[in-house]
Amino acid sequence: MVAAKKTKKTHESINNRLALVMKSGKYTLGYKTVLKSLRSSKGKLIIIANNCPPLRKSEIEYYAMLCKVGVHHYNGNNVDLGTACGKYFRVCCLSIIEPGDSDIIKSMPGDH
Amino acid sequence: MVKFLKPNKAVIVLQGRYAGRKAVIVKSFDEGTRDRPYGHCLVAGINKYPCKVIRKDSAKKTAKKSRVKCFVKLVNYQHLMPTRYTLDVDLKDAVSVDALQTKDKKVAACKATKARFEERFKTGKNRWFFTKLRF
């Protein structure tokens, strides 16, 4: 019961931080651009939805491992992640390039 | 945040005639060039892998089985899968972009990489690179 409560609170905090990044920072949405940002070592944090196909998820994780970039598995599917980004479409994975005013990069990778 | 598409990185080619083959990055062009305005790299790879050599084989047979057929190509980053392996073989003098301009220069570059790859295979190091990727 306590664990469930804790995840709900941190879930909301992820959403808040993500909203702040959307407003003030730089990001890219979508698998192709996420890989591009990892190749050019511009991405600082990758967020993957939970219904991402497992092959794609492990590919992104492998690239992130080579890049030494944190990956956060979002607690929600691509519809929820799109809503959290304030978009009206589905987002399966996104890459944060500049966090702006948010502290998402400092607080999230330990979270995972 | 660490660049990993650097020279000596082992990669797997994903598209084209050499799909599924392992290659090593010789030179990378992150910003692209005039002709290729995208990130790409010059890779030297294995076209035909060497066969499995067993102890029973005669010297003539091991020589025949250790042959490697190579290719040299400019590949878009999107058509490569990077791996965590590296292959430190000095190919910079043998393989360069102007080697791809004419056919005889390309053949000479492939011959040079073939020699380097074969001697590396014979030492028994980088075994992963010289085994065929099963898929």
Side-chain angles (χ1 to χ4, degrees), chain A residues 32 36 38-44 59 62-63 65-69, chain B residues 1-5 9 14 30 77-85:
Chain A
K32 272 176 81 168
K36 262 195 177 163
L38 284 170
R39 273 186 216 118
S40 59
S41 58
K42 289 209 169 66
K44 303 215 169 38
E59 187 178 3
Y62 194 82
Y63 269 81
M65 175 270 290
L66 290 175
C67 223
K68 301 200 213 308
V69 163
Chain B
M1 271 193 287
V2 172
K3 252 177 61 67
F4 52 87
L5 286 167
K9 186 68 141 172
L14 294 174
D30 287 334
Y77 279 159
Q78 284 199 4
H79 304 149
L80 294 175
M81 179 70 203
T83 65
R84 63 181 170 89
Y85 298 94

Side-chain angles (χ1 to χ4, degrees), chain A residues 26-86:
Chain A
K26 285 206 183 74
Y27 56 91
T28 61
L29 308 173
Y31 172 64
K32 272 176 81 168
T33 55
V34 162
L35 289 189
K36 262 195 177 163
S37 73
L38 284 170
R39 273 186 216 118
S40 59
S41 58
K42 289 209 169 66
K44 303 215 169 38
L45 177 67
I46 312 294
I47 301 179
I48 306 181
N50 69 2
N51 67 341
C52 183
L55 182 61
R56 184 180 290 193
K57 178 157 58 174
S58 38
E59 187 178 3
I60 296 176
E61 285 173 352
Y62 194 82
Y63 269 81
M65 175 270 290
L66 290 175
C67 223
K68 301 200 213 308
V69 163
V71 169
H72 182 265
H73 295 96
Y74 186 72
N75 188 9
N77 61 7
N78 48 7
V79 180
D80 302 333
L81 189 49
T83 310
C85 297

Side-chain angles (χ1 to χ4, degrees), chain A residues 2-3 5-6 9 13 15 21 23-24 35 45 51 58 62-63 66 79 90-91 96 99 101 108 111:
Chain A
V2 179
K5 252 200 184 151
K6 193 175 107 164
K9 237 183 17 188
S13 77
N15 285 352
V21 172
K23 210 160 42 163
S24 62
L35 289 189
L45 177 67
N51 67 341
S58 38
Y62 194 82
Y63 269 81
L66 290 175
V79 180
R90 295 176 286 266
V91 170
I96 295 175
D101 299 327
M108 276 312 131
D111 205 313

Side-chain angles (χ1 to χ4, degrees), chain B residues 4-5 24 27 29 37 45 54 72 74 80 84 94 96 118:
Chain B
F4 52 87
L5 286 167
V24 60
K27 192 162 165 29
F29 305 94
I54 52 180
V72 171
L74 281 169
L80 294 175
R84 63 181 170 89
S96 60
E118 276 180 10

